[in-house]
Amino acid sequence: MLTTQSSISGSSQSPRSPSSQPYLSVSVTDPVKLGNGVQAYISYRVITKTNFPEYQGPEKIVIRRYNDFVWLQDRLFEKYKGIFIPPLPEKSTVEKFRFSAEFIEMRRQALDVFVNRIASHHELQQSEDLRTFLQADEETMERLRFHETGIFKKPADWMQIFKDVQSKVSDVVLGKEKPVEESNPEYEKLKHYIFELENHLAEAQKHAYRLVKRHRELGQSLADFGKAAKLLGTCEGNALGKAFTELGVKSETLSIKLQKEAEQLLMNFEEPLKDYVRAVQSIKATIAERANAFRQQCELAETIKLKEINLDKLMLTRSDRVGEAEHEYKELKAEGEEATRRFETIVRLMSEEIVRFQEQKTRDMGVAFHEFAKGQARLANSIADAWRSLLPKLESCSPV
């Protein structure tokens, strides 16, 4: 079970803490395949333990499917502008992979991380939608999904969102429209960093995938070689046959070790890297929202100026439309003030979020790379010890 601990989601108290300390612990467990054919899907048990007074009790168990997690992400993205909403794992459309044991476990682990990041976030954990997700019955969730879907874009769409917004706010149309962009050096630096980080993380994840593949291929090769060596041993007698047999056994043992290490490498190294690629794409979606909010603020400011000029003209001419124009001007000015507050809120939240993101990334990447190095050292020692133990027996079969 993954609780709201600092290694993944920031610091919080566990259920073992004194009752005076607030805690919210969530675990995503027991994936089960339901249905057949194109209607088949995986359900998960979501277990919540908390002493938050807003919840129905100290423990609640509900059944959720992937689309329920999507609903939660949609709702949070719509309501919490400026906050980096945790990413979801991609939805596989390839039938032979979609229900494989490895894919299901990776999906379960990623969903567990997703919901715990929300549960540990000081603002998101107060969300009414999170409480609904963690407590509502299946029928209620189905109704909510049916009425409210598609707000949050999939990771594959985030890059396009960003490009679309950038195009809207920066294009100059026939020289009549000035580009509407923030002239903030620190913000430009942040955007550059995020794009660079995405590229570097994606490159690291690609090579981590190759390492996993290499471990698996080497493990399979050793297994095949081990079988061949044991068969060769049965054809020989005395010491040579025994040496071949033991060589085959060692090869098969090392094959198992390599396959296990490949699985650990996948779950504890490649997947965390992939998760952070998705996290950066989520940040880019927030950057796009900020650009959109800035554009709206600027457009409203220009419209308010025009309305003010028009109102002054009407007042000078003592037009009978002054009252109507004054009303429109006040409404538009209030809308402009709200747009400014919305933009300033996004800016403030993003500043806080990037600090939190950096701290969390430092912790998580530190753990991932430490586990990677430890696993490789462990594997190298196992391989060296295995081959070294065979040397005396093989040397006894060699001519002097």
Side-chain angles (χ1 to χ4, degrees):
M1 177 182 73
L2 179 65
T3 60
T4 53
Q5 298 171 348
S6 60
S7 62
I8 293 294
S9 315
S11 62
S12 184
Q13 298 295 322
S14 73
R16 297 184 180 86
S17 302
S19 59
S20 60
Q21 297 295 321
Y23 66 84
L24 178 58
S25 167
V26 185
S27 58
V28 179
T29 65
D30 302 331
V32 176
K33 181 183 177 183
L34 299 173
N36 296 301
V38 294
Q39 300 297 324
Y41 65 93
I42 302 296
S43 72
Y44 306 87
R45 277 162 52 96
V46 178
I47 305 171
T48 303
K49 297 181 180 180
T50 184
N51 61 357
F52 283 13
E54 301 88 358
Y55 282 74
Q56 296 170 1
E59 181 170 326
K60 182 73 174 180
I61 301 175
V62 295
I63 303 299
R64 295 291 178 259
R65 56 185 296 181
Y66 179 80
N67 287 344
D68 296 324
F69 291 85
V70 174
W71 173 86
L72 176 60
Q73 188 188 52
D74 286 352
R75 298 290 295 169
L76 295 177
F77 184 75
E78 182 68 14
K79 293 182 178 181
Y80 291 88
K81 302 297 184 183
I83 291 178
F84 302 157
I85 305 303
L88 280 170
E90 296 86 354
K91 188 169 185 176
S92 176
T93 57
V94 182
E95 184 68 23
K96 68 176 181 178
F97 296 130
R98 192 156 66 104
F99 297 114
S100 68
E102 181 178 276
F103 177 81
I104 290 172
E105 175 55 24
M106 286 192 299
R107 165 71 63 80
R108 184 207 63 77
Q109 181 174 293
L111 293 176
D112 197 292
V113 170
F114 164 77
V115 74
N116 274 282
R117 281 183 173 157
I118 295 169
S120 67
H121 192 283
H122 65 285
E123 289 202 36
L124 298 181
Q125 68 178 199
Q126 303 299 325
S127 164
E128 182 181 345
D129 294 309
L130 176 62
R131 292 197 295 274
T132 299
F133 174 83
L134 295 177
Q135 298 183 116
D137 57 47
E138 294 173 66
E139 291 77 12
T140 300
M141 284 304 306
E142 187 174 0
R143 286 197 303 271
L144 290 170
R145 284 201 321 268
F146 180 77
H147 291 295
E148 304 170 41
T149 56
I151 298 170
F152 193 78
K153 298 295 182 181
K154 296 177 183 178
D157 299 329
W158 289 342
M159 184 65 177
Q160 190 58 46
I161 295 174
F162 189 81
K163 287 180 178 178
D164 289 346
V165 173
Q166 288 294 85
S167 175
K168 291 176 183 176
V169 302
S170 63
D171 283 350
V172 179
V173 182
L174 300 177
K176 297 179 181 179
E177 183 180 325
K178 294 181 180 179
V180 184
E181 295 179 321
E182 284 188 69
S183 55
N184 184 327
E186 285 300 313
Y187 182 50
E188 289 301 317
K189 184 178 177 181
L190 170 63
K191 289 194 291 184
H192 178 74
Y193 165 72
I194 292 300
F195 276 99
E196 287 291 301
L197 180 62
E198 181 184 29
N199 291 335
H200 296 323
L201 282 171
E203 188 70 10
Q205 186 267 321
K206 180 178 71 175
H207 291 292
Y209 167 77
R210 290 176 178 173
L211 281 171
V212 173
K213 185 179 179 182
R214 178 178 176 275
H215 277 53
R216 285 175 168 169
E217 289 174 345
L218 182 56
Q220 185 59 51
S221 296
L222 276 172
D224 295 339
F225 173 73
K227 291 177 184 177
K230 287 198 297 185
L231 288 173
L232 187 59
T234 60
C235 296
E236 301 290 343
N238 302 325
L240 183 60
K242 187 176 180 181
F244 281 155
T245 299
E246 291 194 22
L247 177 63
V249 171
K250 288 290 183 185
S251 296
E252 289 179 335
T253 300
L254 287 176
S255 168
I256 295 172
K257 288 182 179 293
L258 275 162
Q259 295 293 355
K260 287 182 178 179
E261 188 57 40
E263 183 177 349
Q264 290 297 313
L265 193 60
L266 174 66
M267 296 296 184
N268 300 327
F269 190 57
E270 188 202 346
E271 274 301 304
L273 286 170
K274 187 185 292 185
D275 178 61
Y276 266 90
V277 172
R278 295 191 292 257
V280 170
Q281 291 170 339
S282 180
I283 293 173
K284 286 168 66 177
T286 305
I287 288 174
E289 286 292 323
R290 173 169 169 166
N292 189 46
F294 182 76
R295 176 179 58 83
Q296 290 176 349
Q297 175 191 250
C298 293
E299 288 177 351
L300 279 168
E302 288 297 320
T303 305
I304 289 169
K305 286 180 182 179
L306 294 174
K307 286 286 185 182
E308 188 174 7
I309 292 170
N310 183 55
L311 178 59
D312 289 341
K313 288 180 179 177
L314 291 173
M315 292 179 71
L316 285 172
T317 60
R318 298 182 179 181
S319 171
D320 55 2
R321 294 188 60 247
V322 169
E324 181 184 347
E326 279 184 331
H327 180 70
E328 290 177 358
Y329 173 73
K330 287 179 181 177
E331 282 191 340
L332 197 60
K333 192 173 182 181
E335 190 177 342
E337 289 170 354
E338 176 59 31
T340 299
R341 283 194 294 271
R342 186 164 56 246
F343 171 70
E344 290 174 348
T345 298
I346 290 175
V347 171
R348 176 180 59 79
L349 289 174
M350 279 190 68
S351 297
E352 296 171 1
E353 287 290 285
I354 199 66
V355 172
R356 186 185 62 83
F357 170 77
Q358 293 282 39
E359 291 174 350
Q360 181 176 300
K361 175 171 63 67
T362 299
R363 289 194 301 268
D364 292 350
M365 289 295 98
V367 169
F369 278 88
H370 179 264
E371 289 299 313
F372 166 71
K374 189 167 68 174
Q376 294 304 294
R378 182 175 59 244
L379 180 63
N381 288 334
S382 296
I383 292 174
D385 291 344
W387 293 135
R388 193 179 294 113
S389 68
L390 276 177
L391 289 178
K393 296 172 183 176
L394 294 174
E395 286 170 354
S396 66
C397 300
S398 304
V400 180

